Amino acid sequence: MPLIEFNIEITLNYGQAIYLANSQCDWVVDKMCRMICAKDSLWQLSIDVNQNPFEYKYVIGDYFLQTHSVIQWEKGPNRILNWKDDKSIIIKNKWEQRKISIILKADSKTSVAILMSNYNQIQKRLKKNKDINNNSKVFYTNIYIDVNKIAQGIEIQYYLLIQKKNPSELISKPVNLSLSDQYCFHLNELEFSKLSL
């Protein structure tokens, strides 16, 4: 049973607090799941988690939760935590945003991978690591995306620069994102068009 530290950055109004509603406590919102304001807009709560998977969601409510308190549940599906062992884990979240990891496995000749999207905050050059075992490169990034934007539809596509005797540029067909935690693509799984240099 690991000890999990949950952290969320959010600015609240005077007299409000943030709560960690979860499957382990049958989604009851009470003082036992009230988070502590550690500094400015950072709220924290550490709990022993005995469910796997563990589902949770953040809730804004009055600090003392009076009988007629209005509470605001975070939009989007429940957050899901799967854990492998009893090691402590630190979770960092943002209100109504989901952290998505995007990974692209490419051959060693790929020198640049840029992620493009119809959502401007995703436009970025991907970091790369060399996978020594099979002589390939792994391009990756982590991004936070507003759950409302994902519901409206977000498409991503890759721009690649391949370095060889005659360099070439490739662009992938668009891929739709959902609220999955991770997208891992292999170059062979995507359909690319060649751009003229």
Side-chain angles (χ1 to χ4, degrees), residues 102-147:
I102 298 178
I103 302 164
L104 175 68
K105 295 179 181 177
D107 62 36
S108 60
K109 291 181 175 46
T110 305
S111 61
V112 175
I114 297 174
L115 188 64
M116 300 184 302
S117 175
N118 61 339
Y119 181 53
N120 290 338
Q121 294 176 336
I122 296 180
Q123 318 287 352
K124 64 188 337 181
R125 185 174 177 156
L126 302 179
K127 300 172 189 169
K128 65 182 168 187
N129 283 338
K130 191 164 190 167
D131 184 356
I132 298 168
N133 294 337
N134 60 6
N135 199 24
S136 63
K137 289 182 182 171
V138 178
F139 295 88
Y140 64 94
T141 192
N142 294 313
I143 50 178
Y144 281 94
I145 301 178
D146 186 304
V147 292

Side-chain angles (χ1 to χ4, degrees), residues 1-6 22 24 46-52 54 81-89:
M1 175 166 65
L3 178 68
I4 313 290
E5 179 186 292
F6 293 90
N22 61 78
Q24 188 169 288
S46 294
I47 61 173
D48 289 316
V49 173
N50 57 25
Q51 283 186 344
N52 196 7
F54 175 78
L81 172 66
N82 292 296
W83 46 276
K84 296 177 185 168
D85 51 40
D86 288 348
K87 292 181 182 175
S88 295
I89 302 171

